[in-house]
Amino acid sequence: MEQTSSNPLGVEKPGKLLIKFAVPSIIAMLVSALYNIVDQIFIGQSVGMLGNAATNVAFPLTTVCTAIALLLGIGGAANFNLSMGAKKEKQAAGFAGCAIILLISCGIALMVVVRIFLDPMMHAFGATPDVLEYALTYTGITSLGFPFLIFSTGASNLIRADGSPKFSMACVLTGAVINTILDPLFIFGFGMGIAGAAWATILGQIASAVLAAYYLTVRFKTVRLQKSAFRATWKKSRAIMGLGAAACFNQLAMMVVQIALNNVLTYYGALSVYGSEIPLAVVGIIMKVNMIFMSIIIGIAQGLQPISSFNYGAEKYGRVRETYRKAITAATIISICAFLAFQLFPRQIISIFGSGSEEYFYFAERCFRIFLLFTFVNGIQPVTSNFFSSIGKATKGIWLSLTRQIIFLLPLVLILPIFLGIDGVMYAGPVADGIAALVAVLFVSKEMRAMKRLEQAKASGL
């Protein structure tokens, strides 16, 4: 038991550990979100509403990159920490090496597919004739950076699992700083417009990937990643994808909903006084702003992962339950703060992304207040879904990851506008949010009771 008892994950106070792992993860996720936010702001100021709509059309592919990175990164990290908690160091190294190989391979494969099918993808994602040229330019360039984005995002989870959350944060932070500096230089200084924003994004992603590769090959500390560890076997790949599937499906669900939203907004917007472009641009901005809030929530969930995985593997169930309670409390506080901001300051937030007509701002204010009405409970579902995956219960994690986006939100987005027009899209959000949060509470309450029984049985020697 020497390794288990000496590892800080098994002995330090859960609250202290959660701060140690969650804060750098939150910063990293926020910085990662800035890749899109900064582009959106500068593009809005230089190109205008059509540029904002173009980045919204391109956004599903960024979501795919994140989904792949989380599938392999979180899956690899969860298996790594579960193996370390069970004192199986060689197996842990094999999971880390396998995840790295998969990240590199999938990044290259996605780039090739997007380059081949770029034009039909942009049409499928909801690009109107006026938006298409901007969308093709922006996505055509950013697709070259997909291998670097997937690798750096996925590797950051492995770095965190190795006990280096600050270095994980530094990888993402470096890329975002480079992107933020180069954005205005390329867009305004060199007059490159939307193409300049795309190239600035790629260069930032390359810098992050280089730092992540350096850590994994030189500084990995809890186990030695020897050459033999870098093999992608089907058994390890299946285990990795099993525990990473919940986070991946959550992202893919967001992508599916985004594509459906774009097409519904284009169709019903054309039938309204707003036209197609205003709803498309506004909802794109709302998704990006909401992504800042969700980045904090996902950061908390990622900070929870190594602590829960290790202690569940070591059968320290009381520590697992305490860690979840502290994580969900923090997520709820953040959710309430976001709810207040979205309800009180929608016009001020939307103004950051450029100017527009009075109809544009009127629609934006209503959309913020209605679509994000239940933001105060939106931290429950993603944290709980990731929690189940971190303790090896992939099926429950996957199911919960699909509740809000696919099972509830998508049908509502398609059905409500038939009766309510463009307003139906707005009301779909709070209904889906409320039901998804309730389902997550029911699932985790049952799991907490089961773990308490396991803890009591272990204490009594049964």
Side-chain angles (χ1 to χ4, degrees), residues 383-402:
V383 171
T384 304
S385 171
N386 195 66
F387 168 74
F388 276 109
S389 296
S390 71
I391 62 173
K393 302 198 174 184
T395 302
K396 290 182 179 180
I398 292 169
W399 198 88
L400 282 176
S401 72
L402 296 176

Side-chain angles (χ1 to χ4, degrees), residues 218-233:
V218 177
R219 295 188 54 176
F220 209 79
K221 59 188 181 183
T222 51
V223 295
R224 291 190 62 187
L225 294 183
Q226 298 176 333
K227 187 177 179 180
S228 59
F230 292 93
R231 290 195 309 120
T233 65

Side-chain angles (χ1 to χ4, degrees), residues 319-334:
R319 291 175 59 81
V320 177
R321 291 188 295 115
E322 184 180 352
T323 303
Y324 174 82
R325 285 197 300 267
K326 292 184 181 299
I328 207 67
T329 299
T332 301
I333 293 171
I334 296 298

Side-chain angles (χ1 to χ4, degrees), residues 84-99:
M84 290 295 290
K87 300 170 288 179
K88 299 177 181 178
E89 295 188 8
K90 186 175 180 180
Q91 179 177 284
F95 278 121
C98 180

